[in-house]
Amino acid sequence: MRKTTIGFLGCGNVGGGVFALLEGTAGQIAHRDGIEFVLKRALVRDINKARSVPIPARLLTDRPEDVLDDPQIDIVLEFLGGEQPAIDFMLRALRNGKTVVTANKVALALGWHLLQAEAQKYGGGLYYEASVCGAIPVIRALTDSLQANRIDAVMGIINGTTNYILTRMAKEGKDYAQVLFDAQRLGLAEPDPSADVDGYDAAYKLSILASLAFHAHVPVGRIYREGIGSISARDIAYGKEMGLTLKLLAVAKRNNSVVEVRVHPTFVPNEHPLASVSGAFNAVFLKGHAFGEMMFYGQGAGDAPTASAVVSDLIMAAAAPRHWHPTFANQEQASPELGFDTNWASVYFIRLSASDKPGVLSAITGCFGAHEVSIASMVQHSGIDNDRVPLVFVTHRAHEQSVMQALKDMKPEDATVESVIRVEGR
Amino acid sequence: MRKTTIGFLGCGNVGGGVFALLEGTAGQIAHRDGIEFVLKRALVRDINKARSVPIPARLLTDRPEDVLDDPQIDIVLEFLGGEQPAIDFMLRALRNGKTVVTANKVALALGWHLLQAEAQKYGGGLYYEASVCGAIPVIRALTDSLQANRIDAVMGIINGTTNYILTRMAKEGKDYAQVLFDAQRLGLAEPDPSADVDGYDAAYKLSILASLAFHAHVPVGRIYREGIGSISARDIAYGKEMGLTLKLLAVAKRNNSVVEVRVHPTFVPNEHPLASVSGAFNAVFLKGHAFGEMMFYGQGAGDAPTASAVVSDLIMAAAAPRHWHPTFANQEQASPELGFDTNWASVYFIRLSASDKPGVLSAITGCFGAHEVSIASMVQHSGIDNDRVPLVFVTHRAHEQSVMQALKDMKPEDATVESVIRVEGR
């Protein structure tokens, strides 16, 4: 039996979940892996605060150095969340030769280059399965299972809050604001929901996934980002009639050294595996040149699922004779060999409010035609508001800028654009 | 750069796929893992046969000892399929201190205890990701990612041929024999389809998955097995009306030390993630005490997907300073601590052909009631054949033996049993 001494940075929900899971599976881990984990100290903000997990009070400390600088601690587990002080604390632990396991997507996405450099310099490991999609082993799949593939596409439902909101909007026909309010009331959305609903959370995770998939650094700042705030119940209903389900999708595609990376509301066909991922569940769909299509589905958040990934990393870290690091140039900026395509090709769902007069439809389709945007289907929905009728177009594959230019060319007296939603997975 | 010399046992479709994938990704593997794989010999039945993959003729041999006994060969990759000579060849390679990577579910399921014993005795590794579900990294997930969980259930669509047949039956309303014939014509089912359609293939894979999930040996002989041969288009259609999709499901559940393991046609609710796994795709759905619910979806067969898993194992094997083996008592029989429950509880879909006379329905429901099988819904379908009407019952959760006894008690003049299909995933 080998004893591995660990320290926690943070002991809230996730830390408590890890403590409980380690307690509950100690016998199994000892038997299977021959390792005994001993928690020496846990850094908390307030050592007197009541905790739901029965962690002994003597293990709590409010002094970072008790964890970061204790030479007996082999592995530091970071649950602080956010950029700072998480990055600085992890750097200090790594400089002390420790291995770090983190569940922190923000700190990893923003500080990966710094963290990896110190890990490599001082011989420690850096493990982050829990930073993306909770228990779902998508990081391990990319690094250890699908490594003989060229990954061509990653498409993920990687934010549970937005998927919960969109699922309820679709089921109940309610508007965004109504469902968001309800989600906040139930504790499923934050009082300030921006990180989730504006796509920031998904962009951090996509930065990590795309970097590993493409063996090149894809910074979060290069990811196009659009939230779900302007989605209406009407878009979801019209899409449903056309066999489409709305998701906040994180998309990364690669064509040789050119990539496109984007987070935005996206329709997927009902028969696509991503369409049936509902509620707070997450899923990551991958395309690779050898494995073809693959999808990982599971709980992307929550204390116990996150703890499952953290403890898995911890066992891996403790058992590894040496630590693996990505071989791409891990730097703050994008890897120099990467080109970023913002004029991607997609299918577009476009809802217009059009004037109900002769010649208008011809003018509208003329704008599309002038920019080589070809229409796959058009539905004129019933109901007129102030002489305006709702028109929904679905295009064939077209380029982003062509579509935007075509819409710009439309005369306001003919039609105004109500929504533009990309369609993937056909 | 470290050179690892490898040998193939077999060089048909899978071996050819591995050869091609290794050729195509040699640069990537060298860069990322610092390993160069050199194929020294490939055992084939006929060295003069034309091959689709441009493997140099000088590497081919028809003498097993050229691969098994060559001290320069570090890792042997086995693609022979079937029980023998695959098991004996792998044992010989292991006794020579080599590591073995196999894609062979039959040999692993039947010879695992022998293979693991020799691997542990002589210090070699035994890797088998490709033996179950092709490219899908479900073996690695169980051993390396979800190891801090108690796995409570495994439910898998792990045979592509039967899923293809059932998907087409559902889409086209055709009968089993018709679709099977078509699948055989297209090369998607074997001339002798028994291994697939009778559930043997799924049972071998379930034996491997359940053993890893439950940390105890679940021999294939203890798995209840029922094929899809007696499924009618009518069952699928009636199920569809009730929101159910038919799959050949491999089910393993655990309750403390008691397990139930079974392969049979199964209805799953349309909203369950397994329901939308169509065509030749595979999926494995897991329940664990920490991660909750998880599903892995992908191509479970095919040369390139299988090669993806083999090469992943190969890299893992070459990089590992020591090899991991399951810690359960790996023996031919079931692990002694396991109990096997064959009187499992499930929901049942039961189709009867009933006499259209007063009192018959009361007699039928009386039989269910007498065995404490409670009915959740009943549909009498239109149409009468020879004074008989089709009746479909769906039960609440009931025990297998109670249901079977209730059906036995029905008088043939009242009703005959047309089909009994278990329902999982509610």
Side-chain angles (χ1 to χ4, degrees), chain A residues 99-177:
Chain A
T99 282
V100 167
V101 174
T102 179
N104 185 337
K105 63 195 167 280
V106 178
L108 185 69
L110 298 178
W112 199 349
H113 58 294
L114 303 171
L115 295 165
Q116 186 175 317
E118 298 302 46
Q120 290 183 301
K121 187 168 170 189
Y122 295 92
L126 180 63
Y127 293 80
Y128 38 80
E129 181 68 81
S131 70
V132 179
C133 295
I136 307 174
V138 62
I139 301 280
R140 200 70 51 79
L142 286 169
T143 59
D144 287 8
S145 291
L146 309 177
Q147 71 275 64
N149 284 267
R150 183 192 68 237
I151 307 281
D152 297 318
V154 179
M155 299 206 293
I157 296 168
I158 56 183
N159 178 271
T161 302
T162 49
N163 204 48
Y164 172 83
I165 292 172
L166 292 174
T167 301
R168 280 199 51 192
M169 285 176 72
K171 274 203 185 138
E172 300 166 21
K174 286 185 185 156
D175 261 317
Y176 169 72

Side-chain angles (χ1 to χ4, degrees), chain A residues 25 28 32 135 137 140 143-145 147-149 276 290 292-299 304-305 308 312 319 321-322 324, chain B residues 25 28 32 135 137 140 143-145 147-149 276 290 292-299 304-305 308 312 319 321-322 324:
Chain A
T25 55
Q28 185 177 326
R32 190 185 169 288
R140 200 70 51 79
T143 59
D144 287 8
S145 291
Q147 71 275 64
N149 284 267
S276 52
E293 298 187 349
M294 194 171 288
M295 191 176 86
F296 300 90
Y297 163 98
Q299 287 176 242
S308 169
S312 153
R322 60 178 181 280
W324 180 88
Chain B
T25 55
Q28 185 177 324
R32 188 186 170 289
R140 201 70 52 77
T143 58
D144 286 9
S145 292
Q147 71 274 64
N149 284 267
S276 53
E293 297 186 350
M294 193 170 288
M295 191 176 85
F296 300 90
Y297 163 98
Q299 288 178 240
S308 169
S312 152
R322 62 178 179 281
W324 180 87

Side-chain angles (χ1 to χ4, degrees), chain B residues 236-247:
Chain B
I236 294 179
Y238 289 169
K240 196 185 268 180
E241 285 171 23
M242 303 169 108
L244 300 170
T245 302
L246 192 74
K247 299 292 176 192

Side-chain angles (χ1 to χ4, degrees), chain A residues 62-338:
Chain A
D62 51 10
R63 306 188 322 160
E65 60 269 32
D66 287 350
V67 173
L68 302 175
D69 300 338
D70 183 336
Q72 287 193 313
I73 291 178
D74 305 307
I75 301 179
V76 169
L77 285 67
E78 187 268 317
F79 313 121
L80 297 169
E83 190 174 358
Q84 288 295 5
I87 292 177
D88 283 347
F89 284 1
M90 287 193 276
L91 288 173
R92 185 155 140 199
L94 290 166
R95 286 189 194 111
N96 285 328
K98 301 183 194 315
T99 282
V100 167
V101 174
T102 179
N104 185 337
K105 63 195 167 280
V106 178
L108 185 69
L110 298 178
W112 199 349
H113 58 294
L114 303 171
L115 295 165
Q116 186 175 317
E118 298 302 46
Q120 290 183 301
K121 187 168 170 189
Y122 295 92
L126 180 63
Y127 293 80
Y128 38 80
E129 181 68 81
S131 70
V132 179
C133 295
I136 307 174
V138 62
I139 301 280
R140 200 70 51 79
L142 286 169
T143 59
D144 287 8
S145 291
L146 309 177
Q147 71 275 64
N149 284 267
R150 183 192 68 237
I151 307 281
D152 297 318
V154 179
M155 299 206 293
I157 296 168
I158 56 183
N159 178 271
T161 302
T162 49
N163 204 48
Y164 172 83
I165 292 172
L166 292 174
T167 301
R168 280 199 51 192
M169 285 176 72
K171 274 203 185 138
E172 300 166 21
K174 286 185 185 156
D175 261 317
Y176 169 72
Q178 230 178 324
V179 178
L180 171 62
F181 180 78
D182 215 38
Q184 287 172 317
R185 204 178 45 80
L186 294 166
L188 294 165
E190 301 284 335
D192 174 2
S194 172
D196 293 315
V197 301
D198 293 338
Y200 292 101
D201 175 84
Y204 285 120
K205 294 171 182 165
L206 184 62
S207 160
I208 297 166
L209 289 178
S211 297
L212 290 171
F214 301 150
H215 308 290
H217 189 222
V218 176
V220 67
R222 301 299 293 267
I223 296 173
Y224 173 84
R225 190 183 42 70
E226 200 179 289
I228 63 167
S230 61
I231 292 296
S232 76
R234 195 182 267 203
D235 289 318
I236 293 178
Y238 289 170
K240 196 185 269 181
E241 285 173 23
M242 302 170 108
L244 300 169
T245 303
L246 193 74
K247 299 291 175 192
L248 180 69
L249 217 63
V251 177
K253 294 185 186 178
R254 166 175 160 164
N255 186 359
N256 294 314
S257 63
V258 177
V259 299
E260 51 184 78
V261 279
R262 41 197 172 99
V263 171
H264 50 62
T266 311
F267 276 120
V268 290
N270 288 345
E271 58 277 13
H272 194 282
L274 285 166
S276 52
V277 177
S278 58
F281 275 88
N282 281 15
V284 179
F285 181 87
L286 303 168
K287 284 190 186 188
H289 89 289
F291 67 76
E293 298 187 349
M294 194 171 288
M295 191 176 86
F296 300 90
Y297 163 98
Q299 287 176 242
D303 309 339
T306 305
S308 169
V310 168
V311 175
S312 153
D313 265 359
L314 181 61
I315 293 170
M316 177 76 64
R322 60 178 181 280
H323 304 289
W324 180 88
H325 298 287
T327 47
F328 56 85
N330 210 334
Q331 52 190 25
E332 191 171 6
Q333 304 304 318
S335 294
E337 72 272 23
L338 279 190

Side-chain angles (χ1 to χ4, degrees), chain B residues 228-239:
Chain B
I228 64 166
S230 61
I231 292 297
S232 75
R234 197 182 265 202
D235 289 318
I236 294 179
Y238 289 169

Side-chain angles (χ1 to χ4, degrees), chain A residues 367 371 400-410:
Chain A
C367 291
H371 293 280
E400 176 84 8
Q401 286 163 17
S402 308
V403 170
M404 295 307 163
Q405 204 51 58
L407 296 175
K408 227 182 235 172
D409 284 1
M410 287 177 197

Side-chain angles (χ1 to χ4, degrees), chain B residues 19 51 69 76 87 112 129 154 165 183 219-220 316 319 374 385 420:
Chain B
F19 181 81
R51 284 166 207 282
D69 300 338
V76 169
I87 293 178
W112 199 348
E129 180 67 82
V154 179
I165 292 173
V220 67
M316 177 76 64
S374 133
D385 301 327
V420 179

